[in-house]
Amino acid sequence: QCRRQLSMSCEQSINKLNEILEEYRANNYRQTFPKRFQKDIIKAASKISSNNSSAQSDGAIISAEGIEHVLNNISAGHKMPRIEIE
């Protein structure tokens, strides 16, 4: 499996997104397994992403719009500006 090298700012943004989602999971999905929560988040983000994309794929494609939509739905849109998402 090939690992992709990420820039420091990209890595920081990913860590910040993970922290935001983990905080939400801990407060709102306590009774749910972390994998179930991850699947729900990916499903929600990829649904928005596929609606805004003409590309069809069997895999989950997640766009900045999808991530932004999820963050707004969990009332965390103010915690991560669009520039960090991109």
Side-chain angles (χ1 to χ4, degrees), residues 21-46:
L21 293 174
E22 179 54 29
E23 178 184 342
Y24 180 78
R25 188 197 68 77
N27 291 328
N28 299 284
Y29 271 68
R30 275 186 211 157
Q31 302 299 320
T32 305
F33 290 113
K35 281 284 189 195
R36 175 78 258 160
F37 175 73
Q38 290 172 357
K39 287 180 182 181
D40 288 350
I41 294 295
I42 291 169
K43 183 178 177 181
S46 61

Side-chain angles (χ1 to χ4, degrees), residues 6 8-20 80 84:
L6 301 174
M8 183 62 83
S9 62
C10 181
E11 194 172 320
Q12 290 171 342
S13 293
I14 290 170
N15 289 336
K16 184 175 182 178
L17 177 61
N18 285 333
E19 288 172 9
I20 292 167
M80 190 167 202
E84 276 190 275

Side-chain angles (χ1 to χ4, degrees), residues 50-80:
S50 65
N51 288 344
N52 294 335
S53 173
S54 60
Q56 296 291 327
S57 175
D58 292 336
I61 298 173
I62 300 176
S63 66
E65 289 84 15
I67 295 170
E68 189 173 46
H69 177 77
V70 167
L71 290 175
N72 287 330
N73 277 355
I74 65 172
S75 300
H78 65 283
K79 293 183 178 182
M80 190 167 202

